[in-house]
Amino acid sequence: MRKSTARKVAYYGIFVALAFVFSFVEVLVPVSLGIPGIKLGLANIVVLTALYAMGPRDAFFISCVRIVLVGFTFGNMASLLYSMAGGLLSWLVMCLLKKIKGFSMIGVSLAGGISHNIGQIAVAALMLKTVSVIYYLPVLLIAGTITGILIGILGGMLLKVQLRLKNSIG
């Protein structure tokens, strides 16, 4: 029992640390297309991989811890709220689609990328008390589609490596 608990804590630590590092890389290399909120979402590779390798509850925990750590380290309360809304909606959509047969990891990731942007726009509309932010949505949906596909591909590659390591270690 102790060994499995220690292993789980180690996996949490590794996954959160990796997601944090990916978030830091995004801070160093910002993508600016004139639209606020467009990011590569590299940390989502870790959340997606955790969803498939560890399960929904573990992916939720890793996502929330990463969002809080990154929010307090590199952002502010507004960015933390936007990220949390996007992250939670993305996690929920990815969990639901993963259960449905016929959705690949890339499809699940694509839906996660799109729903992340929808969550952020919804919170922005509430915080700013205007629906005019919806004009950003088409560009954000295109960005979410592109990054979602990319994250799905990279997540699939990371999952294969992670499963190979897990099988070789025991």
Side-chain angles (χ1 to χ4, degrees):
M1 183 65 136
R2 227 173 174 182
K3 186 177 179 182
S4 66
T5 302
R7 180 174 282 178
K8 194 170 196 174
V9 169
Y11 271 111
Y12 278 169
I14 291 167
F15 275 61
V16 169
L18 188 57
F20 188 79
V21 168
F22 283 159
S23 295
F24 179 65
V25 168
E26 281 191 354
V27 170
L28 293 176
V29 185
V31 176
S32 179
L33 300 175
I35 304 289
I38 293 180
K39 291 182 1 180
L40 294 174
L42 295 174
N44 296 325
I45 297 169
V46 178
V47 175
L48 181 68
T49 304
L51 178 63
Y52 278 84
M54 300 168 75
R57 198 173 328 152
D58 298 324
F60 177 80
F61 176 79
I62 291 165
S63 182
C64 288
V65 169
R66 193 258 325 160
I67 289 167
V68 169
L69 286 175
V70 170
F72 284 127
T73 306
F74 305 118
N76 54 41
M77 191 53 71
S79 67
L80 180 64
L81 289 173
Y82 294 139
S83 293
M84 191 61 78
L88 293 178
L89 184 58
S90 176
W91 171 82
L92 179 63
V93 168
M94 289 192 306
C95 287
L96 292 173
L97 291 182
K98 183 180 176 282
K99 288 183 178 186
I100 298 172
K101 300 295 180 212
F103 280 96
S104 68
M105 190 177 205
I106 295 170
V108 169
S109 177
L110 187 152
I114 289 171
S115 58
H116 191 279
N117 289 328
I118 292 170
Q120 287 184 323
I121 287 291
V123 167
L126 289 172
M127 287 179 61
L128 300 172
K129 296 180 179 147
T130 180
V131 294
S132 64
V133 294
I134 202 141
Y135 292 115
Y136 289 123
L137 196 54
V139 175
L140 289 175
L141 293 180
I142 292 167
T145 299
I146 293 167
T147 59
I149 291 169
L150 177 64
I151 296 304
I153 292 168
L154 295 173
M157 293 165 63
L158 182 62
L159 181 63
K160 286 178 185 174
V161 170
Q162 194 268 338
L163 292 176
R164 260 190 301 216
L165 285 174
K166 186 177 180 180
N167 291 335
S168 69
I169 293 172

